[in-house]
Amino acid sequence: MKLYASLLLPMIALTACGEEPVSEPAPAQAMEAEPTVSLPAPDEALFAELFAETCPDAEAVSTSICQRAMGADTASCEYGLGDDEVLRNDATLAANETGDAWMIQDSEAVCAQ
């Protein structure tokens, strides 16, 4: 019982003292987010258009599939040319310097396929 009383008395003494007012936390300064340009997901029509502009001497794209990881500034595309419906070729799309449009990365290698 003495041990219990020796622990209880200091706690009572502390609660008997007045509580100090809690200071308000400083308001967090709102950081202005830098505006970012969001590129649309590359689809079959967009890839076909980019390929035709980049490789004017190549056959037209017959089919394509592009995949982009969340938040990535590149997209991986597989495509077929001419009458071929098989995805035999691949290309990487990257955001251009201003970040407002897609372009084919390493266009010389892609056009040579």
Side-chain angles (χ1 to χ4, degrees):
M1 184 69 162
K2 288 183 183 183
L3 179 61
Y4 180 70
S6 65
L7 292 175
L8 189 58
L9 287 175
M11 289 176 51
I12 293 172
L14 286 175
T15 56
C17 297
E19 291 185 18
E20 293 183 24
V22 177
S23 62
E24 292 292 321
Q29 293 183 359
M31 294 178 56
E32 290 186 29
E34 189 172 306
T36 57
V37 177
S38 178
L39 292 173
D43 59 6
E44 191 170 12
L46 176 65
F47 181 78
E49 180 182 329
L50 287 173
F51 188 83
E53 290 173 3
T54 306
C55 307
D57 296 332
E59 291 184 78
V61 172
S62 59
T63 186
S64 66
I65 295 175
C66 295
Q67 298 175 339
R68 177 183 179 193
M70 237 166 120
D73 57 354
T74 61
S76 174
C77 300
E78 295 179 338
Y79 60 98
L81 297 174
D83 295 331
D84 196 359
E85 293 295 323
V86 179
L87 306 172
R88 299 182 193 274
N89 305 296
D90 59 344
T92 301
L93 299 183
N96 65 6
E97 291 177 6
T98 58
D100 61 353
W102 290 109
M103 63 180 209
I104 295 179
Q105 192 174 27
D106 196 13
S107 58
E108 290 178 13
V110 171
C111 292
Q113 290 184 10

